[in-house]
């Protein structure tokens, strides 16, 4: 059964990745067709063709390696004006790129080429793919936090401490010298549902905790629902040193990884954990936070990759927030699916992983280097700047930017991307990230 769940987690992520890539390319395809550009191919994957079907002028299909996708637009760059033997490897690469570009331009449809579009339309076409991933991530995160909810302490009391133990104590039973906890003294019982504290309605245990921690020595009127009826109890929090926790009940640590301990109001009650639905604004906010986090990872990518290489050689533990290959993502998905936890908990983690994957696709494709979408956007914007400059100084319109001249740089970037993918693949196979502990 565990093996089936493991495989199911991998399949979930592979299908999710395929849909994410497919929608990314749809984000390019729809505006391209809307603006009249001839699209010859829409493909998911790279390498040998597995299946394809031509509908109208476009061939739709799947290829063997699920590492990305592409659409083939007519005339991404201006048609060649000269031809002849190219001397030198870089000139040969440029000439090959121009030849391949020329082959996408059908006879009689020279007006339906990408490079002739106004700058803003070219930007829209190239932005369409990454933005589709951003939208998909926002939808996923909204379903995750507003539909399913975030696991945190609810207002239902799970436990009431019999006594007050010092912070950091390892004792599991109360002694005769330990004072009774304020919650037990007030008559709070497991199963009670908090309604309000000190006249303030509470909807989460975190809200209740904040009021209690801010009120040491103060008598608080606690309204609880018990057996369908509301009951008011008076509890007086004592001042005690306690570890500070977040909304999910996890201890907050400082920069050195040490739990933060403060003197706060304490009553000695714990909450049942459950999924608490968040406002609809939480999904977009989670998306924004994820974009910032992934962008920071991209900026520090050379350092992160170096750390991955070092950990691969030394066998050291990898950074769980570091980069992963498709194999690494699939492996984590399998481990999450097979872990001993409620189904909803596992599904939530898988859904969050898929949302983060779409954020990575968005941020990575916005890097302003060819062959990534961000590189094509930069080319279009540069073309627009040249045209605006000529118009301001009343000069003849300049020739369209010929990005095939950047093919040598594109090859270098592509080679680095392949090398990065190979490093991460090997690392994920022989020294995978451990997110579950043990």
């Amino acid at each position: 059964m565990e093996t089936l769940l493991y495989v199911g987690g991998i399949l979930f992520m592979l299908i999710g990745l395929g849909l994410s890539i497919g929608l990314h390319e749809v984000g390019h395809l729809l505006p391209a067709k809307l603006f009249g550009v001839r699209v010859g191919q829409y493909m998911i994957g790279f390498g040998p063709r597995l299946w394809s079907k031509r509908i109208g002028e476009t061939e739709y299909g799947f290829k063997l390696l699920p590492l990305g996708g592409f659409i083939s637009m007519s005339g991404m760059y201006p048609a060649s004006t000269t031809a002849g033997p190219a001397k030198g490897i870089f000139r040969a690469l440029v000439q090959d790129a121009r030849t391949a570009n020329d082959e996408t331009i059908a006879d009689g449809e020279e007006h339906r080429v990408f490079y002739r579009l106004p700058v803003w339309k070219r930007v829209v076409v190239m932005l369409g793919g990454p933005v589709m991933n951003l939208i998909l991530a926002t939808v996923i995160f909204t379903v995750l936090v507003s539909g399913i909810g975030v696991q945190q302490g609810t207002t239902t009391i799970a436990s009431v401490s019999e006594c007050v133990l010092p912070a950091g104590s390892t004792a599991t039973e109360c002694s005769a010298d330990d004072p009774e906890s304020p919650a037990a003294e007030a008559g709070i019982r497991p199963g009670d549902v908090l309604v309000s504290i000190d006249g303030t309605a509470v909807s989460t245990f975190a809200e209740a905790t904040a009021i209690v921690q801010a009120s040491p020595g103060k008598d608080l009127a606690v309204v609880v629902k018990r057996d369908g009826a509301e009951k008011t109890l008076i509890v007086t929090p004592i001042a005690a040193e306690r570890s500070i926790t977040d909304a999910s009940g996890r201890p907050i640590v400082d920069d050195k990884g040490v739990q933060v301990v403060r003197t706060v109001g304490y009553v000695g009650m714990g909450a049942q954990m459950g999924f608490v639905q968040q406002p609809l604004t939480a999904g977009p906010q989670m998306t924004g936070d994820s974009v910032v986090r992934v962008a920071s990872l991209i900026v520090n990518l050379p350092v992160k990759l170096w750390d991955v290489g070092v950990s691969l050689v030394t066998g050291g533990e990898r950074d769980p927030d570091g980069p992963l290959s498709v194999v690494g993502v699939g492996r984590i998905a399998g481990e999450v699916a097979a872990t001993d936890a409620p189904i909803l908990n596992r599904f939530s983690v898988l859904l969050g992983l898929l949302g983060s994957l779409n954020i990575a696709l968005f941020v990575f494709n916005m890097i302003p280097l060819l062959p990534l979408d961000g590189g094509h956007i930069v080319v279009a914007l540069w073309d627009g700047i040249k045209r605006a400059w000529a118009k301001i100084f009343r000069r003849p319109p300049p020739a369209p930017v010929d990005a095939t001249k950047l093919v040598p740089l594109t090859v270098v970037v592509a080679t680095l991307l392949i090398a990065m993918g190979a490093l991460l693949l090997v690392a994920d196979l022989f020294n995978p990230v451990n997110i579950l502990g043990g």
Side-chain angles (χ1 to χ4, degrees):
M1 186 63 180
E2 184 176 338
T3 301
L4 289 176
L5 290 172
Y6 188 92
V7 173
I10 294 175
L11 289 177
F12 174 89
M13 198 53 56
L14 285 178
I15 293 172
L17 176 61
L19 289 174
S20 300
I21 293 172
L23 289 174
H24 176 101
E25 299 308 327
V26 167
H28 292 309
L29 179 73
L30 292 182
K33 284 185 171 288
L34 179 65
F35 297 147
V37 177
R38 184 178 184 276
V39 180
Q41 287 185 319
Y42 169 95
M43 290 289 169
I44 306 301
F46 298 109
R49 183 184 285 102
L50 296 177
W51 173 89
S52 68
K53 181 177 181 180
R54 181 168 294 278
I55 301 176
E57 64 186 14
T58 305
E59 178 188 12
Y60 299 85
F62 297 91
K63 295 198 171 188
L64 180 62
L65 303 176
L67 301 177
F70 66 93
I71 65 170
S72 175
M73 291 185 287
S74 178
M76 285 288 290
Y77 314 113
S80 302
T81 56
T82 59
K87 297 180 180 180
I89 184 172
F90 289 123
R91 290 187 179 180
L93 289 173
V94 171
Q95 186 59 52
D96 289 344
R98 287 173 175 168
T99 301
N101 179 71
D102 292 346
E103 292 174 352
T104 66
I105 304 175
D107 292 337
E109 296 196 339
E110 290 81 2
H111 60 291
R112 298 183 60 199
V113 293
F114 176 78
Y115 80 88
R116 290 186 183 275
L117 291 178
V119 172
W120 72 270
K121 289 186 177 181
R122 279 183 274 169
V123 172
V124 167
V125 171
M126 299 316 301
L127 270 178
V131 169
M132 184 67 81
N133 291 123
L134 186 66
I135 293 173
L136 184 56
T138 303
V139 171
I140 290 173
F141 287 146
T142 300
V143 170
L144 180 63
V145 299
S146 299
I148 298 175
V150 175
Q151 193 173 35
Q152 57 185 226
T154 67
T155 53
T156 301
I157 302 301
S159 61
V160 176
S161 301
E162 295 180 7
C163 62
V164 179
L165 296 173
S169 173
T170 58
T172 57
E173 296 183 0
C174 297
S175 67
D177 297 331
D178 293 325
E180 188 177 16
S181 74
E185 186 177 4
I188 297 175
R189 303 175 185 173
D192 287 348
V193 178
L194 298 175
V195 177
S196 66
I197 297 181
D198 198 29
T200 302
V202 292
S203 58
T204 66
F205 192 72
E207 294 174 353
T209 300
I211 297 173
V212 169
Q213 290 184 343
S215 308
K218 178 181 177 182
D219 291 342
L220 301 177
V222 179
V223 179
V224 300
K225 183 175 288 187
R226 181 187 298 170
D227 298 328
E230 291 189 357
K231 185 179 182 66
T232 300
L233 306 171
I234 303 300
V235 62
T236 306
I238 63 171
E241 287 190 347
R242 285 293 177 267
S243 299
I244 305 300
T245 59
D246 60 18
S248 300
R250 293 185 296 266
I252 297 175
V253 298
D254 58 21
D255 295 337
K256 298 180 180 178
V258 179
Q259 290 188 12
V260 177
V261 177
R262 294 177 184 167
T263 300
V264 295
Y266 173 79
V267 298
M269 60 185 181
Q272 287 185 6
M273 299 300 292
F275 287 96
V276 179
Q277 294 178 337
Q278 306 298 307
L280 289 176
T281 55
Q285 181 179 352
M286 189 175 181
T287 300
D289 293 341
S290 297
V291 168
V292 172
R293 186 172 63 254
V294 174
S296 175
L297 177 95
I298 296 296
V299 170
N300 297 289
L301 191 57
V303 175
K304 295 288 186 180
L305 290 174
W306 174 264
D307 292 340
V308 171
V310 171
S311 65
L312 177 62
V313 174
T314 62
E317 186 174 351
R318 285 179 57 188
D319 180 3
D321 296 324
L324 297 168
S325 69
V326 174
V327 170
V329 173
R331 191 166 191 163
I332 290 175
E335 291 175 353
V336 169
T339 193
D340 184 17
I343 293 177
L344 190 57
N345 294 57
R346 287 179 279 175
F347 179 70
S348 296
V349 175
L350 291 175
L351 206 57
L353 190 60
L354 183 59
S356 298
L357 186 61
N358 274 274
I359 292 295
L361 289 173
F362 166 74
V363 176
F364 194 75
N365 274 284
M366 290 303 295
I367 296 176
L369 293 172
L370 292 171
L372 302 172
D373 295 332
H376 291 288
I377 293 172
V378 168
V379 170
L381 293 176
W382 176 242
D383 196 19
I385 292 172
K386 287 180 61 179
R387 291 176 182 276
W389 186 268
K391 188 174 182 179
I392 291 173
F393 291 95
R394 298 182 179 180
R395 296 176 179 174
V401 173
D402 183 6
T404 57
K405 296 178 180 178
L406 298 176
V407 165
L409 176 60
T410 304
V411 171
V412 171
V413 173
T415 302
L416 290 175
L417 293 177
I418 293 172
M420 178 186 73
L423 171 62
L424 294 177
L425 177 63
V426 173
D428 288 334
L429 286 173
F430 296 102
N431 187 31
V433 172
N434 183 7
I435 65 167
L436 300 179

